[in-house]
Amino acid sequence: MRASVRGWRWRRNPLRRRSDVVEAWTALAVTLALVLGAPLLGALTGWWAHGQARAVQRAELADRHRVRAEVVGRTPDPPPSVQGGGQHTYRVAVRWSDADHRAHTLVARVPPGTRQGDTVGVWLDPGGRGVPPPPDETAVWQHTVALGACGACGAAAVVLLGRSLVGRVALRHRLAEWEREWARTGPRWSGRRA
């Protein structure tokens, strides 16, 4: 004959303590928080981050403009480790003409493999200074996913930390309850008087 021990914290029995009930409710709350709360918080954080990244993207697109510029400076040969299509860029002098056909020169970043005389795209601010390009769709979604994942993981970490603290307090209370019970029951079993 096999005794069922599943769910013993929820049923009345002589071994169940108040700390056991607290731990059972805590386990249920932690499960719900991890299964529903953390993903929901991650999704909300990602949604907020996506909106913020889109706003930054729109502001930078409105503030910056792209011009075609000719590379006039000498570009260094890329190191062998970068020649496979890496993301390393070089700072070289480029020249472009504005709407009034005035020539402007500035130092801008160009991709590896660019040679003197090549035409590259350069982003400028309203003052004509070279600036990085505004974030593209990939950057917006990377930002969204990264912050959403951080929100979900942060929520999960807080929930698990809280569970750990409740478990420690429950264990302390359980040991104190057992100690009080033994103080009442022990003398009857051992024959010693307190």
Side-chain angles (χ1 to χ4, degrees), residues 42-143:
L44 291 174
T45 303
W47 183 48
W48 172 81
H50 186 75
Q52 294 296 319
R54 283 277 189 213
V56 167
Q57 182 187 41
R58 281 191 299 272
E60 288 186 5
L61 280 171
D63 188 45
R64 300 172 182 189
H65 63 282
R66 188 172 189 220
V67 297
R68 301 296 296 168
E70 178 185 355
V71 177
V72 294
R74 183 180 172 286
T75 59
D77 292 329
S81 63
V82 177
Q83 287 180 349
Q87 295 295 322
H88 189 73
T89 59
Y90 298 101
R91 296 180 61 82
V92 296
V94 296
R95 183 179 319 146
W96 82 97
S97 296
D98 61 15
D100 298 331
H101 300 293
R102 287 183 297 181
H104 299 277
T105 304
L106 67 90
V107 175
R109 293 199 171 273
V110 298
T114 304
R115 300 281 176 228
Q116 194 170 10
D118 288 351
T119 303
V120 294
V122 177
W123 286 88
L124 305 172
D125 66 5
R129 293 180 300 271
V131 291
D136 59 357
E137 286 300 310
T138 303
V140 169
W141 281 104
Q142 285 174 341
H143 181 74

Side-chain angles (χ1 to χ4, degrees), residues 26-41 152 155-160:
T26 302
L28 180 64
V30 165
T31 301
L32 289 175
L34 289 177
V35 171
L36 299 175
L40 180 62
L41 184 64
V158 168
V159 166
L160 293 175

